Amino acid sequence: FANIISWKPDGKSFVIKSRHEFKEKVLPLYFKSNFDSFLRKLKRWGFEKDKVNRRGDPSIEFSHRYFRRDESGLCLRMRCKSGPGRMVDDSCNIQEDPQEVMRSPPVPVYDDAMRQKVALVDHLMSQQANQKRLLEEINQAAIAEK
């Protein structure tokens, strides 16, 4: 799905490159909702949509301070908003050091929303590992040609 959804190089946000393909191929595998509902879920979980969108660029970028590449434990600190402007659990202090959060013991979570987030994180991490392997193969082929 690298041509549909991927991490930005800094690992602090992800990009849906093709809304249509995301709706058709990715969304049905991980979520039981339509695209608009998926966007509402992201907002409810505190994701921010990138405001900078170049004219004619169909991609959408999202970020969350606790949703980072290679730091899947951080997503356990995410909280879902419930009702107008209220949080289910507002114990997350915005001043917390993410490295300190990573050292905290994981909290077991059993709701569907968390399982969906973890599945998406796992997919993105797998995609990153595949990209690293491909780059290593390319580098080895380039070295062999010399």
Side-chain angles (χ1 to χ4, degrees):
F1 298 121
N3 59 333
I4 301 171
I5 183 172
S6 66
W7 287 104
K8 293 290 283 186
D10 65 4
K12 294 181 178 180
S13 59
F14 68 93
V15 179
I16 298 173
K17 298 175 185 177
S18 168
R19 291 179 197 203
H20 176 72
E21 288 188 78
F22 184 81
K23 287 182 213 179
E24 298 295 319
K25 297 177 181 175
V26 178
L27 202 58
L29 292 175
Y30 298 100
F31 299 93
K32 296 177 184 177
S33 60
N34 63 39
F35 189 71
D36 291 333
S37 177
F38 172 76
L39 293 178
R40 284 191 300 274
K41 284 180 185 180
L42 287 176
K43 184 175 181 175
R44 207 170 59 232
W45 278 96
F47 281 85
E48 295 180 4
K49 185 176 175 183
D50 181 19
K51 304 270 189 255
V52 180
N53 197 350
R54 291 175 295 284
R55 198 176 174 131
D57 182 1
S59 65
I60 315 170
E61 183 176 340
F62 295 95
S63 64
H64 190 290
R65 70 176 183 225
Y66 292 129
F67 193 76
R68 301 283 191 247
R69 180 181 56 215
D70 299 327
E71 298 181 45
S72 59
L74 282 177
C75 71
L76 296 174
R77 304 297 294 172
M78 296 168 72
R79 300 293 182 254
C80 183
K81 291 181 182 177
S82 174
R86 292 187 303 267
M87 298 293 281
V88 170
D89 178 356
D90 61 356
S91 64
C92 292
N93 180 346
I94 198 163
Q95 301 301 319
E96 283 180 307
D97 176 8
Q99 294 305 316
E100 184 61 36
V101 172
M102 286 300 293
R103 288 189 285 274
S104 342
V107 177
V109 179
Y110 302 104
D111 68 349
D112 286 338
M114 182 57 77
R115 279 192 283 276
Q116 291 172 347
K117 287 190 296 186
V118 169
L120 186 56
V121 169
D122 288 344
H123 168 73
L124 290 171
M125 290 176 73
S126 171
Q127 176 185 336
Q128 179 191 14
N130 290 338
Q131 289 173 344
K132 284 182 180 178
R133 279 194 293 277
L134 180 59
L135 285 173
E136 288 171 5
E137 289 175 20
I138 291 169
N139 285 336
Q140 289 174 355
I143 291 170
E145 286 181 7
K146 289 182 181 181

